[in-house]
Amino acid sequence: MAGGGRRFAPGGGARRTVRVTALLAAAALVSALGSAELPRRGEPPWASPGLVGGGGWPFASQPLDPADAAGAAYVPDSSVVRLKDGRVRLIPLGAETAATLAASDPRVASAVTIDKAWLARGSVPGLKVPVLPENVVTAPRGGEAPSVTAPATRAPSTRTVVTQSNQKYRDMAARALLDLRLLTQPNGASLASWYGAWRYSWPRDSAFAAAAFTVTGHRVEAQRILRFLAGVQAGNGMWAARYNAGGSAVADGRAPQSDSLGWVLWAAWLFHEKDPDAAAGMPELWTMVRRAADRLAGSLGADGMPPPSSDYWERSPGSEQDPGTATLGVVAPVLAGMRSAAEFARETGHAADASRWEAAAARLDGAVAARFAPLGYPRSAVRDGRMDTSVTFLTPPFAPADPFVAGAVRRAADKLALPNGGVLPGERWSGNQKVAWTPEMALFTLSAAASGRTAEAVHRLDWLAAHRTSLGSLPEKVDDAGRPAAVAPLGWTASLVVLSLSALEAPLPVPGVCTSASTGVRTVAAGSGQAQNCS
């Protein structure tokens, strides 16, 4: 689900599967991938365990043929694939299609070195993730540690010990970062994935990719994505629902989606928080923030609510339980975005804009308290409203912690849980009731990690790690047998996993919360109904 319950049919069903003849599917794949080999043996056209890269700019990639997947593995910390027969597949520097080379070919070592050097320019989270006491196991010298699984209820250990679990998390983060790099185009378009209906750039997903690169210190990639978003933004502050890889808006009749403005504002603020000097060198960042924040603030009605819009489910507002009111999937990102914009403005000397956007955030915060809170934070603010994952958008790292929201998150997770260990996107899901969606699981993971529920976050991360492809990439969906059930890698899930692991190692900034440099006290701030009183 590259974008939450994304790519859903207007009636709320799961992402539309391409129902065409085998000939048309093959033709579409050839068109999308150029000379890439087609899947064999009746595999679905998206069935690749991951992307082959080569370490060089502009980061060309090509899906590995499923026929070659058995026994294949990435060379550690790279997008170079070692095949079962010992040969290596990569895209040589300057080329656009993959080649199969002898392991001794100097181009192999060069590609691996470039990928490792790129990872080293930032951080790769995972090695410092707290582990449960029974899992503090280190591999004996010259051997492997026994397999460990983190249960959901034990308190984490604070011991600084690198365990087999830590190495698993670190490798998971490295693969996610490398996959995000392969999905990011030279112009900054961050693709949801590599195939067909996923081979587009959604502002929503792009914001999370920029955030993942930001928190790991891969500044150049974060800047590239944010500059792309600034460049394609309309003068009225809006973005199209999605863009082609080249940057043109996709003209498919989808209306702009208001939640994307909130997510981009949050990502821009996070970048400024983490790297203010780099942000200061991007004048287009303020222009983008001002346009989007003014658009959102001006859209609020007399009741403080934004108008109805599609959200991360990408279905018509008319299909919601309350068609005339924005869903929590719109309201919560808009609130996060307004708080983020207000803090961005205040920190950059735009006091008047900050005050105006803080006031808008306070009005919207009041609307959430009046309309959603009494009902338990359902997707639609109606009696017996159904729960979905959007309740996590009201928790850290997007909003200040609130015990009542935390309780709603737990109830939602329970209602959406599946026997395979994953979750559905929403209650009374109209799609396949047995298929779990990884972005939803990763959103619950991030909420837990950023809210201090470490054991829960680790448990959910273990599920995500266990359900990667044979190459270690994160798929969009997992079927009832535990197998990938849609395209991999999925950029949004990769971003959320990186953010979750980062949050487990160190607290992520939260819009509407500031931390005093002198006392370390965290205080509710802009747009939260209280004055900002720490600096």
Side-chain angles (χ1 to χ4, degrees), residues 391-392 395-398 409 442-453 500:
V391 67
T392 64
T395 70
F398 313 119
V409 169
L443 282 165
F444 282 117
T445 304
L446 177 56
S447 176
S451 301
R453 302 193 305 276
S500 298

Side-chain angles (χ1 to χ4, degrees), residues 301-306 308 322-328 331 363-385 394:
D303 59 356
M305 290 279 284
D322 183 3
T325 304
T327 64
L328 193 60
V331 171
R363 289 178 59 213
L364 181 52
D365 188 43
V368 171
R371 300 178 72 106
F372 289 91
L375 301 170
Y377 301 97
R379 175 174 172 81
S380 291
V382 297
R383 189 176 300 277
D384 297 323
L394 290 175

Side-chain angles (χ1 to χ4, degrees), residues 276-367:
D277 291 338
M282 298 175 63
E284 64 268 51
L285 207 57
W286 169 247
T287 302
M288 179 178 75
V289 167
R290 177 177 51 78
R291 286 175 172 174
D294 278 346
R295 176 74 184 202
L296 289 180
S299 75
L300 301 184
D303 59 356
M305 290 279 284
S309 163
S310 295
D311 61 17
Y312 76 119
W313 276 21
E314 291 210 316
R315 69 181 187 182
S316 167
S319 64
E320 302 293 347
Q321 285 185 284
D322 183 3
T325 304
T327 64
L328 193 60
V330 171
V331 171
V334 169
L335 179 56
M338 293 309 304
R339 286 173 173 162
S340 298
E343 292 196 22
F344 190 109
R346 192 166 298 284
E347 292 164 3
T348 54
H350 299 89
D353 291 309
S355 295
R356 188 157 43 86
W357 298 337
E358 282 176 3
R363 289 178 59 213
L364 181 52
D365 188 43

Side-chain angles (χ1 to χ4, degrees), residues 204-231:
R204 182 185 302 109
D205 301 50
S206 298
F208 279 87
F213 285 134
T214 293
V215 299
T216 59
H218 291 92
R219 182 182 68 190
V220 172
E221 286 68 31
Q223 287 178 304
R224 184 172 292 118
I225 294 171
L226 290 170
R227 284 193 172 111
F228 173 84
L229 290 168

Side-chain angles (χ1 to χ4, degrees), residues 37 53 68 147 160-161 191 275 284 293 354 385 387 391 450 530:
E37 292 186 55
D68 296 325
S147 176
T160 305
V161 180
L191 303 182
D275 200 337
E284 64 268 51
M387 301 299 290
V391 67
Q530 300 181 31

